[in-house]
Amino acid sequence: MRSSELDVTPYAALAFAIFAASTSAILVRWSTAPSSVAALYRVVFTTALVAPVALSRHRDEFSRLARRDIGFAVIAGIALAVHFAAWFESLNHTSVAASVTLVQTQPLFVALGAGLVLGERVSRETVVGLAIAIIGAAAMSFGDAGEAPLSDATMYGNALAVLGAVTVAGYVLAGRSIRQRVSLFPYVTVVYTACAVTLFALVGVQGHDFVAYPAREWLLFLGMAIGPGVFGHTVVNWVLEYIESVVVSVAWLGEPVGATVLALALLTEVPDLITVVGGLVVLAGIYVTTIERERRREPTPG
């Protein structure tokens, strides 16, 4: 099967972005700052890295942005803020594997929204791939939870992770729609700014200190911005111009696999056999979904 450069490059970028995003849970676990503070500075530093590029290369485009696109970009930023706040907090109450897996149930919500809002046709084969990946993700979560009875705190953490899934689905759908018309850096600058303002208000309401953190924490905040922020979310927003939202959201299910491997290496959280098998099933689901998209894109002979 032949693929043009444009076909190959977005998939390579998406794989790289998923790997970069997999480091997020580890960095959050290492941080001792309040979860909303960690989320705030991740986004603030990410904005500081992308905004100069947007202003230097796309200054004129900001003045041409339609109010509708600005409005939906702001909504996407608020959704991203809720996602970060809910997911980061969930990591304080449940394991990395469970938290990352549950937050990646978002393809279910993306698939629904893609059909209703974006008019993207979800093929039968794509649904099969999505179902396979979700089953694998569920197995990873159940395997992790099976190590001990579910406490109220764990259930709370799991519920926060699901909230993070719903809100990140809205973020992905908005990105898929707006990125067809707006360049990458102006779009992410608006989104990240709205996200940072929302998180700033949340930190203020919660009464957390804004600056009294040791140098180690600031390095972790910067790491969250560079890895999961710039090389993760920003690259995914670039990919959304070329790949359907459902395919991108299913690919995101690779994040719990990467995060679980990193948790084993860096946090000594040892996954059980069910978690390992579930991770392989997730990868199989991603493969089925991706191959189906390429098959549909391939021109019919004659």
Side-chain angles (χ1 to χ4, degrees):
M1 179 172 57
R2 296 181 61 186
S3 296
S4 68
E5 182 180 356
L6 191 60
D7 287 328
V8 174
T9 302
Y11 279 111
L14 182 58
F16 177 77
I18 299 305
F19 172 77
S22 298
T23 65
S24 182
I26 307 302
L27 295 171
V28 173
R29 268 296 183 86
W30 279 341
S31 174
T32 58
S35 56
S36 56
V37 173
L40 168 64
Y41 284 113
R42 164 179 166 164
V43 178
V44 167
F45 287 149
T46 303
T47 306
L49 291 171
V50 301
V53 179
L55 294 174
S56 63
R57 298 185 180 182
H58 305 276
R59 183 183 300 271
D60 294 341
E61 189 171 345
F62 281 99
S63 62
R64 298 196 303 269
L65 289 176
R67 290 183 179 180
R68 179 175 179 271
D69 288 339
I70 294 175
F72 279 111
V74 169
I75 292 173
I78 295 172
L80 184 61
V82 176
H83 160 72
F84 282 144
W87 178 47
F88 280 30
E89 182 63 21
S90 78
L91 288 163
N92 293 326
H93 302 279
T94 189
S95 71
V96 167
S99 175
V100 178
T101 299
L102 289 171
V103 83
Q104 293 303 344
T105 58
Q106 44 86 18
L108 296 173
F109 307 107
V110 171
L112 178 62
L116 295 177
V117 179
L118 301 181
E120 292 182 356
R121 187 179 73 87
V122 181
S123 69
R124 182 183 305 173
E125 292 83 357
T126 299
V127 172
V128 170
L130 190 156
I132 292 172
I134 291 294
I135 290 170
M140 291 182 70
S141 180
F142 291 146
D144 177 74
E147 297 177 2
L150 287 175
S151 65
D152 289 343
T154 302
M155 291 291 288
Y156 175 66
N158 291 347
L160 287 174
V162 173
L163 175 60
V166 174
T167 49
V168 81
Y171 163 69
V172 169
L173 290 169
R176 173 61 178 170
S177 174
I178 301 173
R179 283 287 292 117
Q180 307 304 302
R181 303 179 299 277
V182 179
S183 298
L184 172 65
F185 283 99
Y187 170 69
V188 296
T189 299
V190 175
V191 170
Y192 294 161
T193 300
C195 181
V197 170
T198 304
L199 289 170
F200 184 88
L202 177 62
V203 171
V205 169
Q206 292 176 337
H208 297 308
D209 199 299
F210 281 96
V211 294
Y213 301 100
R216 176 181 179 275
E217 291 296 324
W218 292 103
L219 288 175
L220 287 172
F221 299 156
L222 182 61
M224 295 175 199
I226 295 174
V230 174
F231 294 120
H233 277 261
T234 302
V235 173
V236 165
N237 276 300
W238 176 78
V239 169
L240 281 167
E241 183 177 353
Y242 306 106
I243 302 178
E244 291 92 336
S245 57
V246 174
V247 177
V248 173
S249 67
V250 171
W252 269 115
L253 287 170
E255 183 181 352
V257 180
T260 301
V261 172
L262 290 173
L264 171 63
L266 302 175
L267 302 178
T268 64
E269 287 190 4
V270 180
D272 60 15
L273 180 61
I274 295 177
T275 301
V276 173
V277 173
L280 295 176
V281 173
V282 167
L283 295 178
I286 295 172
Y287 175 80
V288 170
T289 304
T290 304
I291 292 301
E292 160 56 17
R293 178 191 183 264
E294 283 299 295
R295 186 189 66 79
R296 286 188 289 113
R297 287 176 57 88
E298 198 169 70
T300 302

